[in-house]
Amino acid sequence: MNLILKVWRQKNGQVKGRFETFEAKEVSPEMSFLEMIDLLNETLTQQGIEPIAFDSDCREGICGMCSFVLNGVPHGAQYQPGSAVCQLPMRHFKDGDVLTLEPWRAKAFPVVKDLVCDRSAFDRVIAAGGFVSVNTGGCPDANAIPVRKQDAERAMDAAQCIGCGACVAACKNASAMLFVAAKVSHLATLPQGQIEARERVLNMVGQMDAEGFGNCTNMYECQAVCPKEISVDFIAQMNREYLKAAR
Ligand code: FES
């Protein structure tokens, strides 16, 4: 199939960007979305045109690098909910479709180039407290620290967050609360995370605000586009943790 791609091109964060139109030819339905861009980039390179810059690493929905908006929705989640754009196969599209590709648009995620954003604000939120500072040593026996099954499962649900930033991109307030809530709740739900729970939530929420992310106004857009289907329940848990810690 042949597709028309309207792609956001921007040399860097200091200059204005604009949409450019390209034709992606002989795209197979078996290709992934990123393979389709690879193919287009090969053609552009052969024609002496600068290829489209985009991020990717694992290409299997784990690293959170492939961050762009497809036809108005982060990760193109309208085509295949619960997956990152790197996992989206081209069989969802048909010959002649027009696709629009844009970077995340949030003040805290400045554009580096084309579809690539600087998401290091998330790293700084994690560095503010998203870890357990004690040395936990080697792998202990499974029954050394008893954890209720429902707590272990809830912590695992939160731990699925890959930090891609789709929650921020989908939110009209550019709120990072789903991401921060997943990280806070993951550790707050486990006994190993209890000791530093107070400092963790205060520091991470403080850093989130300092980075310029907005607040949550319960639109659920973040949950709808999250490639790991993180629940907004975790935002409620983070708010409870914050209130307890701030007392
Ligand atoms: S490239 Fe790793 S999640 Fe998409």
Side-chain angles (χ1 to χ4, degrees), residues 56-59 61-64 66 86:
S56 76
D57 189 3
C58 70
R59 297 199 174 202
I62 296 169
C63 71
C66 56
C86 61

Side-chain angles (χ1 to χ4, degrees), residues 10-56:
Q10 189 168 347
K11 225 176 179 42
N12 56 54
Q14 277 70 56
V15 300
K16 274 191 168 179
R18 68 193 181 287
F19 281 105
E20 279 181 21
T21 304
F22 302 99
E23 195 177 1
K25 290 184 177 164
E26 293 174 33
V27 175
S28 141
E30 279 84 41
M31 283 178 182
S32 72
F33 202 91
L34 300 191
E35 283 168 344
M36 181 274 294
I37 306 179
D38 289 340
L39 184 70
L40 172 61
N41 274 345
E42 270 176 36
T43 313
L44 295 182
T45 307
Q46 281 159 10
Q47 294 169 348
I49 301 170
E50 195 168 352
I52 299 156
F54 66 98
D55 259 337
S56 76

Side-chain angles (χ1 to χ4, degrees), residues 147-159 186 189-191:
V147 181
R148 292 192 312 166
K149 182 159 169 36
Q150 57 264 51
D151 290 344
E153 284 182 354
R154 185 169 171 80
M156 282 300 287
D157 286 348
H186 167 208
T189 305
L190 293 171

Side-chain angles (χ1 to χ4, degrees), residues 153-202:
E153 284 182 354
R154 185 169 171 80
M156 282 300 287
D157 286 348
Q160 289 211 74
C161 170
I162 56 174
C164 64
C167 45
V168 174
C171 177
K172 64 175 183 169
N173 306 326
S175 169
M177 286 183 92
L178 194 69
F179 163 74
V180 182
K183 300 303 175 190
V184 164
S185 302
H186 167 208
L187 293 174
T189 305
L190 293 171
Q192 296 92 328
Q194 296 304 315
I195 297 158
E196 292 158 305
R198 188 176 177 278
E199 300 94 304
R200 177 180 307 114
V201 70
L202 293 176

